[in-house]
Amino acid sequence: MGVRRSPSAVLGFALVFGACLLPSCHRRAPGPELPVVPRVELERYAGTWYEVARYPHRFQEGCYASRATYLLREDGRLDVRNECREGSPDGEVRSVEGVAKVVDPTTNAKLRVSFFRPFYGDYWIIDLGAAYEYAVVGHPSRKYLWVLSRTPSLPEALYRGIETRLSRLGYDPSRLRLEEGSLRP
């Protein structure tokens, strides 16, 4: 299994997990600001996260079995490696590497991610399991949304609770695209 890093694949995949690079993506949605979790311990957040569900976007078309790995650096930033399978859960791996920096040290829940410096995109942690078993990442515009898990699947009851909380935050859970096999009883 080789890792393909064609320019178009890398450019398209670079936006995965909230790294929106276009200036228009930074406009705030009308209404209240998107709240984030009270505190994120970056040491606990580091590691691998599997995508359970996401809002569909052109830059992730054809992506299956997506995951992100975060490694905490000595300077307080995080190295980021995003991967997905192209075309099917067994397809060729697409990957890209970047860096995330904390922009709200009070909570560590607001980050900016870049895969093509100097361009950074918002990455806000808006829901997080007490044991860091799941995380929900959003964007202040509410145009981007990812539900992540430490394992490739989540209990369905937990996922339904996340959907309910997302509705209260101004998201439309019916737009979420579930990864095949990502829910379990």
Side-chain angles (χ1 to χ4, degrees):
M1 166 182 72
V3 175
R4 192 181 96 206
R5 289 187 177 97
S6 73
S8 62
V10 171
L11 180 59
F13 191 60
L15 299 176
V16 174
F17 301 124
C20 182
L21 304 179
L22 302 173
S24 63
C25 294
H26 297 290
R27 281 184 264 154
R28 304 291 188 237
E33 183 171 308
L34 181 62
V36 296
V37 297
R39 184 80 186 145
V40 176
E41 295 175 33
L42 295 178
E43 299 82 9
R44 292 181 69 194
Y45 196 80
T48 299
W49 292 93
Y50 297 87
E51 179 182 283
V52 172
R54 70 171 179 256
Y55 270 9
H57 283 286
R58 163 175 58 88
F59 54 79
Q60 247 183 308
E61 269 183 32
C63 253
Y64 294 86
S66 296
R67 68 182 182 182
T69 302
Y70 304 95
L71 298 172
L72 189 58
R73 298 173 11 170
E74 287 184 24
D75 65 3
R77 293 177 183 224
L78 293 159
D79 285 327
V80 181
R81 180 180 175 86
N82 287 345
E83 299 176 318
C84 80
R85 299 286 183 147
E86 189 168 4
S88 75
D90 298 321
E92 194 171 348
V93 174
R94 289 195 310 191
S95 69
V96 65
E97 294 181 7
V99 65
K101 62 182 179 180
V102 173
V103 294
D104 178 9
T106 304
T107 67
N108 286 340
K110 291 182 182 180
L111 296 98
R112 304 268 293 154
V113 178
S114 176
F115 294 95
F116 299 101
R117 287 181 267 315
F119 304 103
Y120 282 82
D122 291 319
Y123 177 110
W124 290 13
I125 302 167
I126 60 174
D127 196 358
L128 184 62
Y132 287 62
E133 71 277 19
Y134 75 88
V136 180
V137 175
H139 187 277
S141 69
R142 292 177 175 81
K143 291 181 182 180
Y144 304 94
L145 182 64
W146 291 267
V147 178
L148 309 175
S149 173
R150 289 296 190 179
T151 59
S153 63
L154 277 178
E156 185 170 0
L158 175 60
Y159 180 77
R160 299 300 171 212
I162 291 168
E163 285 183 318
T164 299
R165 290 188 296 280
L166 287 171
S167 291
R168 289 189 220 128
L169 295 175
Y171 280 97
D172 177 2
S174 70
R175 289 189 52 214
L176 282 166
R177 178 198 164 273
L178 276 167
E179 185 72 38
E180 186 175 329
S182 63
L183 298 183
R184 62 183 185 269

